[in-house]
Amino acid sequence: MELPLTQHIVPGRKPLNLKDYEKVGGYQSVRKILKAMTPVEVQTQVKDSNLKGRGGAGFNTGLKWSFVPMGPEAATPKFLVANADEMEPGTFKDRLLLEGNPHQLIEGMIVAAYAIQATISYVFLRWAYKLAAQEITQAIHEAYEAGYLGENILGSGFNLEMHLHTGVGRYMCGEETALLNALEGKRANPRAKPPFPQVSGLYGKPTIVNNVETLCCLPHIINNGVEWFKSLSKSSDTGTKLYGVSGRVKTPGCWELPIGTTIREILEDYAGGMQDGYLFKGLLPGGASTDFLVEEHLDLPMDYGSIQAAGSRMGTGTMIILDDQTCPVGFVHNLQHFFAQESCGFCTPCREGLPWVEKILLAIDRGEGKPEHLLTLDFHTKYLGPGNTFCALAPGAMEPLQSALKYFREDFERHIHEHHCPWSKVWQPSI
């Protein structure tokens, strides 16, 4: 099995420095594109590889780039931003790449910047990733010293500046236009679209925002070609994918596997199955903002189309496991508390609806729920759904709720009828 993204990452070992990274083929893709490829050719190769965005949206990366205006009349400067904010609950895949091989990210960013002719780039990093910040800072310094960043890179005439920007911990920055507002020093509110960032992004200039894992795939696509990248997968989607599992499994973690590996294989062969004494009840396949899948879905391939057809989204590919001894109501309430807290407050349904949903779930979890509360929750899953809010935060928050009401409705009803949480060892009424 080829593992291009993680082949040089060894847990407990510092990441490769520049010289060691070059010895294993590092920055060869940069030399190749600057010497022998035009920006449009790079775009075309990435588009043909069908590399889909690994941040959750699953949109074709090369196609996204193609919307950036090119040519001498295009607005300048252009910007490239690596979204390393990774605030999705249950998601930790990008952290592995950031801490384990930062030069791979920098190399991918140079490829992407060249493809759209961006001359300024940023790594927008989650505030809590302190070690990653240290490693990225060192790697950027080494890249400048070696001539991979700065003016006239490798004598090609192409210029690229790169900066590390540490965020302040807002989930909203997962939405690319909110991230751009934050990068400009503004409140992290989403922007109206159109115009899209590819045309008017950071400071009103053409901008591409790509996920860390997406960018790390680029050097390997350039070096090895489209057909090689396609051959890595087990499905119509292409390449490998970083899959993660958290919850009451024996060996939680993160693994690079062929995209299309089944949920069961990831859960049982890599995560070691459920811990002794616990049974599988359900899972969120791609972080907190995805719909639950249950036992009947375990043999599905973890790819974009298969998971969508089952009524969920692959999202980040990092699963959160729900076991039989964890209360589904409390589980979902905890997620809704997070989403309500992280709402930017810009639009009314999200600002007012999410706290109301959280309060209802808290009442049900405490044994104070009423039958009509379930109807109110059903209403909110539609009222806060796609097309009714300014961005995707509230619709994403509704995904675990609507699917919990679908698959675990009896558990909600038990809380209401028994006036306490059946999972509580000792129930005490709230004051």
Side-chain angles (χ1 to χ4, degrees):
M1 185 189 303
E2 293 191 69
L3 306 174
L5 300 180
T6 58
Q7 61 184 325
H8 302 302
I9 297 176
V10 179
R13 187 190 74 181
K14 284 187 66 64
L16 298 177
N17 60 29
L18 178 65
K19 290 184 178 180
D20 290 334
Y21 184 66
E22 288 177 320
K23 288 178 182 178
V24 296
Y27 291 102
Q28 286 303 309
S29 67
V30 173
R31 295 180 180 277
K32 180 177 180 178
I33 62 171
L34 294 181
K35 183 179 180 180
M37 297 181 73
T38 66
V40 173
E41 287 174 337
V42 176
Q43 288 187 26
T44 300
Q45 184 161 331
V46 174
K47 180 180 177 182
D48 291 346
S49 75
N50 196 29
L51 169 64
K52 294 183 178 179
R54 303 304 202 229
F59 192 76
N60 184 294
T61 302
L63 182 60
K64 181 177 182 178
W65 293 352
S66 70
F67 301 137
V68 175
M70 301 292 287
E73 296 183 359
T76 57
K78 298 177 187 177
F79 295 94
L80 173 76
V81 182
N83 187 348
D85 200 45
E86 198 162 54
M87 286 283 289
E88 180 76 11
T91 299
F92 44 88
K93 65 180 184 66
D94 292 339
R95 181 181 178 181
L96 175 66
L97 299 172
L98 294 164
E99 295 178 356
N101 196 354
H103 275 293
Q104 181 176 230
L105 170 64
I106 293 171
E107 182 177 2
M109 291 180 68
I110 298 171
V111 171
Y114 178 77
I116 64 169
Q117 291 294 281
T119 55
I120 303 174
S121 61
Y122 292 90
V123 179
F124 192 102
L125 184 68
R126 179 179 175 180
W127 68 275
Y129 284 4
K130 306 298 184 184
L131 178 59
Q134 296 174 17
E135 301 296 357
I136 293 168
T137 299
Q138 177 63 26
I140 290 175
H141 173 73
E142 291 178 343
Y144 268 108
E145 289 292 309
Y148 293 118
L149 292 173
E151 296 184 1
N152 193 26
I153 296 174
L154 302 180
S156 67
F158 176 63
N159 307 323
L160 180 64
E161 301 297 328
M162 186 173 293
H163 310 279
L164 173 64
H165 177 91
T166 303
V168 295
R170 289 306 309 274
Y171 178 70
M172 267 306 306
C173 291
E175 203 281 337
E176 62 181 7
T177 62
L179 180 152
L180 296 178
N181 273 341
L183 198 52
E184 291 180 5
K186 301 173 184 175
R187 182 173 174 173
N189 286 351
R191 300 177 181 177
K193 292 183 283 190
F196 291 93
Q198 292 95 320
V199 176
S200 179
L202 189 63
Y203 302 112
K205 302 297 184 180
T207 305
I208 283 290
V209 181
N210 282 141
N211 170 259
V212 168
E213 185 183 355
T214 306
L215 291 164
C216 287
C217 290
L218 299 176
H220 308 290
I221 294 172
I222 296 299
N223 287 333
N224 298 296
V226 169
E227 295 307 316
W228 168 85
F229 190 69
K230 290 181 178 180
S231 73
L232 297 178
S233 82
K234 293 183 176 181
S235 76
S236 59
D237 292 327
T238 56
T240 59
K241 179 76 185 74
L242 291 182
Y243 295 113
V245 178
S246 60
R248 287 190 169 120
V249 293
K250 292 178 180 176
T251 55
C254 184
W255 310 271
E256 182 182 5
L257 299 170
I259 198 166
T261 301
T262 67
I263 297 173
R264 188 183 300 278
E265 184 178 349
I266 297 169
L267 181 59
E268 296 181 357
D269 295 350
Y270 292 92
M274 301 300 296
Q275 293 178 9
D276 294 340
Y278 296 93
L279 298 176
F280 174 84
K281 190 177 180 73
L283 62 84
L284 301 174
S289 60
T290 55
D291 285 88
F292 277 101
L293 298 177
V294 292
E295 186 85 28
E296 66 188 72
H297 301 118
L298 289 182
D299 292 314
L300 287 177
M302 272 289 279
D303 61 37
Y304 296 98
S306 300
I307 301 302
Q308 183 176 3
S312 186
R313 295 183 299 112
M314 189 171 78
T316 59
T318 46
M319 308 178 204
I320 306 174
I321 307 300
L322 173 65
D323 62 86
D324 66 326
Q325 296 185 40
T326 297
C327 173
V329 176
F331 187 106
V332 175
H333 168 255
N334 186 46
L335 295 180
Q336 298 307 315
H337 173 77
F338 170 82
F339 289 124
Q341 184 173 263
E342 290 298 324
S343 171
C344 75
F346 191 67
C347 64
T348 303
C350 184
R351 182 186 64 244
E352 305 299 329
L354 288 178
W356 188 236
V357 165
E358 187 213 345
K359 289 177 182 178
I360 292 174
L361 288 169
L362 179 59
I364 295 173
D365 194 33
R366 287 176 170 176
E368 300 165 359
K370 302 175 182 178
E372 55 265 32
H373 280 160
L374 296 183
L375 298 178
T376 304
L377 292 176
D378 287 333
F379 168 79
H380 275 79
T381 62
K382 297 177 177 59
Y383 180 62
L384 300 183
N388 295 324
T389 59
F390 201 71
C391 80
L393 188 150
M398 291 301 99
E399 291 189 24
L401 175 60
Q402 68 189 10
S403 53
L405 290 168
K406 174 182 178 181
Y407 293 118
F408 314 128
R409 198 174 191 92
E410 289 183 1
D411 297 317
F412 285 79
E413 292 170 345
R414 282 189 65 191
H415 281 72
I416 294 171
H417 298 320
E418 297 177 17
H419 303 293
H420 71 96
C421 174
W423 279 264
S424 296
K425 293 181 179 179
V426 178
W427 173 65
Q428 294 180 343
S430 60
I431 299 174

